[in-house]
């Protein structure tokens, strides 16, 4: 993919270029058949720990949401997937809060951001603002 280079360094132009860099894009995560072997896992963001995602697999479907519980920051990717009120939920390992994997909603009103996931030609993708990896960025 070609990257546009500009010598225009006006504040408006730099903001425009920065916004374009952080635009939502489909980020390739890895092989569908390998990824489905783990029910819960962390996906690292190039932007840093607080932008990491949890990737969850239940009944043939993948879900992606913010990795850290919105209650007190527990690692949701270390939680357990449970059937709760008729849908798949992730349970926070710290305090047991349950979040719907499809919507990110919780019964008491707190919620997680959820992100679209797709599979194409055997590869799994997450739509997100930054580069993602199964391994930490150095």
């Amino acid at each position: 993919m070609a990257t546009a280079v500009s010598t225009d360094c006006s504040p408006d132009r730099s903001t425009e270029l920065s916004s374009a860099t952080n635009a939502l894009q489909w980020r390739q995560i890895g092989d569908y058949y390998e990824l489905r072997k783990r029910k819960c896992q962390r996906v690292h963001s190039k932007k840093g720990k607080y932008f990491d995602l949890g990737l969850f697999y239940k009944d043939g479907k993948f879900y992606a949401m913010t990795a850290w519980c919105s209650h007190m920051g527990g690692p949701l990717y270390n939680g357990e997937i449970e059937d709760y009120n008729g849908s798949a939920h992730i349970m926070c390992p710290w305090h047991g809060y349950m979040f719907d994997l499809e919507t990110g909603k919780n019964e008491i009103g707190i919620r997680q951001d959820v992100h679209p996931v797709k599979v194409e030609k055997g590869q799994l993708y997450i739509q997100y603002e930054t580069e993602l990896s199964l391994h930490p960025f150095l």
Side-chain angles (χ1 to χ4, degrees), residues 4 17 26-27 31 34 39 42-43 87 89 110 118 131 133 135 137:
L17 287 174
W26 287 105
R27 312 292 179 163
D31 181 74
E34 285 299 313
K39 303 300 179 208
R42 182 176 179 177
V43 179
S87 61
H89 284 65
I110 58 177
K118 71 177 181 178
E131 288 182 51
S133 173
H135 307 286
F137 288 93

Side-chain angles (χ1 to χ4, degrees), residues 25-31 123-126 132-134:
Q25 296 180 29
W26 287 105
R27 312 292 179 163
Q28 185 175 351
I29 305 304
D31 181 74
Q123 294 295 305
L124 183 112
Y125 296 84
I126 299 174
L132 297 170
S133 173
L134 294 174

Side-chain angles (χ1 to χ4, degrees), residues 4-126:
V5 177
S6 173
T7 56
D8 179 359
C9 294
S10 66
D12 291 335
R13 180 67 180 152
S14 63
T15 301
E16 181 181 315
L17 287 174
S18 175
S19 296
T21 303
N22 290 329
L24 292 177
Q25 296 180 29
W26 287 105
R27 312 292 179 163
Q28 185 175 351
I29 305 304
D31 181 74
Y32 166 82
Y33 298 100
E34 285 299 313
L35 290 169
R36 71 184 188 158
K37 292 177 182 177
R38 293 186 60 197
K39 303 300 179 208
C40 305
Q41 58 192 306
R42 182 176 179 177
V43 179
H44 300 268
S45 168
K46 191 168 189 177
K47 201 169 181 180
K49 170 183 174 177
Y50 298 105
F51 294 89
D52 289 352
L53 299 178
L55 180 64
F56 307 99
Y57 183 74
K58 171 83 169 145
D59 296 331
K61 186 171 181 183
F62 280 98
Y63 305 88
M65 69 172 52
T66 47
W68 311 105
C69 180
S70 53
H71 171 237
M72 292 192 68
L76 292 178
Y77 55 86
N78 285 337
E80 296 290 329
I81 298 175
E82 305 279 341
D83 287 321
Y84 183 71
N85 289 338
S87 61
H89 284 65
I90 186 69
M91 180 172 35
C92 179
W94 285 8
H95 300 106
Y97 283 90
M98 303 286 281
F99 296 93
D100 186 299
L101 288 174
E102 191 81 39
T103 66
K105 292 182 181 178
N106 171 284
E107 284 185 336
I108 65 166
I110 58 177
R111 66 178 301 149
Q112 297 292 121
D113 291 333
V114 294
H115 303 278
V117 177
K118 71 177 181 178
V119 177
E120 286 184 1
K121 299 180 181 176
Q123 294 295 305
L124 183 112
Y125 296 84
I126 299 174

